[in-house]
Amino acid sequence: MSFTLHGAGAGGGIAIGQAHLISSARLEVAHYTIAAKQVEQEVMRFSAAVELVRTELQGLRQSVPAGAPAELDAFLNLHLMILDDATLSRAPRELIRSLKCNAEWALVLQMDQLVAQFEKIEDPYLRERKADVVQVVERVLKAMQGRPGRALAAPARAESLIVVAHDLSPADMMLFKQHQYAGFVTDLGGVTSHTAILARSLNIPAIVGAHTARQMVHEGELVIVDGVHGVLIVAPDELVLAQYQQRQRELERGRQKLKRIRSTPATTRDGTTVDLHANIELPQDIEQVRESGATGVGLFRSEFLFLNRDDLPSEDEQFEAYRQVAQAMRGMPVTIRTLDLGADKTVNGSARGGPNPAMGLRAIRLCLAEPQMFLTQLRAILRASNYGNIRLLIPMLAHAHEIEQALTMIAQSKALLDEQNLPYDRGIQVGGMIEVPAAALSLGVFVRKLDFLSIGTNDLIQYTLAIDRTDDTVSHLYNPLHPAVLHLIAHTIKTGSRMNVPVAVCGEMAGDVTLTRLLLGFGLRQFSMHPANLLAIKQQILKSDLGPLPKLSNRILRTDDPENAKRLLEKLNA
């Protein structure tokens, strides 16, 4: 019987294949007492399992494929740290001795205690690390039950299989790169989980948080993963299957067709040139940037160099990463955003969650509170500017004094490099992100002090509408067409144009083809987006005539009725 499950889309595209179920050892743990004379033998069995898992993880770390995302190694290191934590590695032995219980039950008791502590953490990113604890425990449980630790051993025809699991660890995820599974679905996980992050970086159709998928789907059953809409269709009928197969073919034909315009300049029908840049997280993303035909990197999210590690990256480590990107872009602009840590992205020893991390000590606020960390990054960016066309972007500015302090620290970094006779671009451009409504409403100081502006629509919408975009209970209220949001965006673009200060949009709105003409009508001439979206945006620009766009865009701007705004947007895109 066919049925549908819903979760969160963690990787775009559509995958069709047979379900390949991965067992969850945690769900199969029994509880029984053991005789006193068997206690030490049970302790030894537990210790042997821990050592086996440690060997497995170390082996996986050594076998990370050359093309795998850099964060994989950090994830494996994190799991090794969890394994060595006394709560999981030593406390179960005491429980076995005191309760005379089996080792599996003792380990699960400790896991539940640790998970409960994570549940109390306010920061959503840290709270989701409880999944890493569970994943490590499940590997130990599998070892004690005599199962191989590598849950994703490569079956035949992996490219036609959809992995369905209660949860997946990063150690399992790394095998996706080697075996080319069609997609995956997990019961657990959210948009900020490690599994979801890896799915996006590997560009695999995926759904997380499907709740009962592992329980309801059977091995070998035909399934469809719609990673765009977060829909899992189990045992589809012939009509639904045919429809999705047709969608797959259309998507592939569309991708192939779009490649023809990769080297075509992004110019409107009436001859206006538009800059299309790409957003990246890590230096390895540059290959995607090249394939997309982007004319620059509009947003290098540098904080990804800081994640999933216990130490801060050194100046030299950061310098090498920034230089690598600058040189790979061969003179095209590379806009590096200084680290935006402190909301859902944290690093040990430098972030303070607070009761509402998204509005707490994050981004430039954290950098100014941790000046040594900020100076280290600024020096690395400045040194790398000697090897390419680098621009420096400051996130989450809201106050004039934040701009002044940031510029002062940039000047201080330059002076330190001068003392060491280290070269850098003395005319490096410094810009600010407009993602706080206060910034959009007080642009005077921004256009006077900064060389360019970049609108971060994701946070601007979140802060304008007072909506946590990671909270499923209010996500339906997250609306880029809200009149207040559109007024702030249009006002920023038009003010920049009037004052001759370049303005870009680097949030998700830049990669939404239904909003391209609206933004062009507001006067936007620089978009920055995920490389996968760039050619579709370019195609829309090539088909657009700027002439009527400002008038129609302003009509949308004047309406207070969301439904009317949608109708006008459809007319704009006709």
Side-chain angles (χ1 to χ4, degrees), residues 479-519:
N479 180 15
L481 291 178
H482 190 286
V485 172
L486 293 183
H487 275 282
L488 292 175
I489 292 171
H491 170 64
T492 301
I493 294 169
K494 292 174 181 178
T495 300
S497 177
R498 188 173 66 252
M499 302 300 293
N500 202 29
V501 174
V503 176
V505 168
C506 63
E508 289 184 12
M509 285 180 69
D512 187 340
V513 72
T514 65
L515 302 176
T516 301
R517 288 180 176 171
L518 176 64
L519 294 172

Side-chain angles (χ1 to χ4, degrees), residues 8 35 92 112 129 144 147 193 213 241 332 439 442 450 456 475 527:
D112 289 341
R129 299 291 66 79
M144 284 192 286
R147 302 184 182 187
S193 68
L241 178 60
M332 288 185 280
S442 56
L450 299 169
S475 60
F527 296 68

Side-chain angles (χ1 to χ4, degrees), residues 97-117:
R97 293 186 175 106
S98 62
L99 300 178
K100 293 183 174 57
C101 66
N102 59 308
E104 292 91 344
W105 186 253
L107 179 58
V108 168
L109 284 177
Q110 285 303 112
M111 177 193 70
D112 289 341
Q113 179 182 332
L114 199 53
V115 167
Q117 294 174 11

Side-chain angles (χ1 to χ4, degrees), residues 50 84 92 230 234 331 411 462 487 518 547:
V50 170
D84 290 331
V234 182
Q462 171 174 248
H487 275 282
L518 176 64

Side-chain angles (χ1 to χ4, degrees), residues 169-352:
S169 73
D172 289 330
M173 279 292 296
M174 66 181 291
L175 299 177
F176 274 87
K177 189 96 174 165
Q178 294 170 296
H179 304 315
Q180 298 178 330
Y181 288 91
F184 75 86
V185 181
T186 63
D187 293 339
L188 303 182
V191 293
T192 61
S193 68
H194 283 159
T195 304
I197 292 169
L198 286 172
R200 286 191 287 272
S201 68
L202 295 174
N203 198 26
I204 300 172
I207 300 169
V208 297
H211 302 297
T212 57
R214 176 62 182 79
Q215 179 182 347
M216 297 182 69
V217 179
H218 297 103
E219 180 72 28
E221 205 162 22
L222 184 65
V223 295
I224 299 172
V225 175
D226 184 342
V228 178
H229 301 102
V231 176
L232 173 68
I233 302 173
V234 182
D237 59 36
E238 291 185 5
L239 178 60
V240 172
L241 178 60
Q243 289 174 338
Y244 270 92
Q245 288 172 334
Q246 179 63 21
R247 283 182 59 189
Q248 258 192 330
R249 289 191 291 267
E250 289 172 357
L251 284 172
E252 183 56 31
R253 280 198 298 267
R255 280 192 290 266
Q256 295 302 321
K257 186 176 179 181
L258 284 174
K259 288 181 180 179
R260 301 174 189 170
I261 63 172
R262 189 177 73 87
S263 58
T264 303
T267 306
T268 61
R269 292 173 62 184
D270 49 352
T272 299
T273 299
V274 180
D275 289 323
L276 296 183
H277 293 177
N279 298 342
I280 67 171
E281 284 80 40
L282 296 165
Q284 295 93 312
D285 298 335
I286 284 298
E287 187 59 36
Q288 281 184 285
V289 176
R290 286 175 172 165
E291 287 297 316
S292 73
T295 55
V297 172
L299 180 64
F300 183 167
R301 299 184 176 99
S302 66
E303 62 272 8
F304 279 78
L305 299 172
F306 290 70
L307 298 183
N308 303 307
R309 55 191 297 166
D310 293 316
D311 60 338
L312 297 174
S314 67
E315 180 180 325
D316 285 341
E317 182 183 344
Q318 293 184 62
F319 161 67
E320 290 297 338
Y322 306 145
R323 181 176 70 169
Q324 181 181 339
V325 173
Q327 289 180 323
M329 292 305 292
R330 298 173 184 150
M332 288 185 280
V334 174
T335 303
I336 301 176
R337 182 177 70 184
T338 57
L339 61 94
D340 185 2
L341 291 170
D344 60 342
K345 301 184 289 288
T346 62
V347 63
N348 289 351
S350 66
R352 306 156 191 168

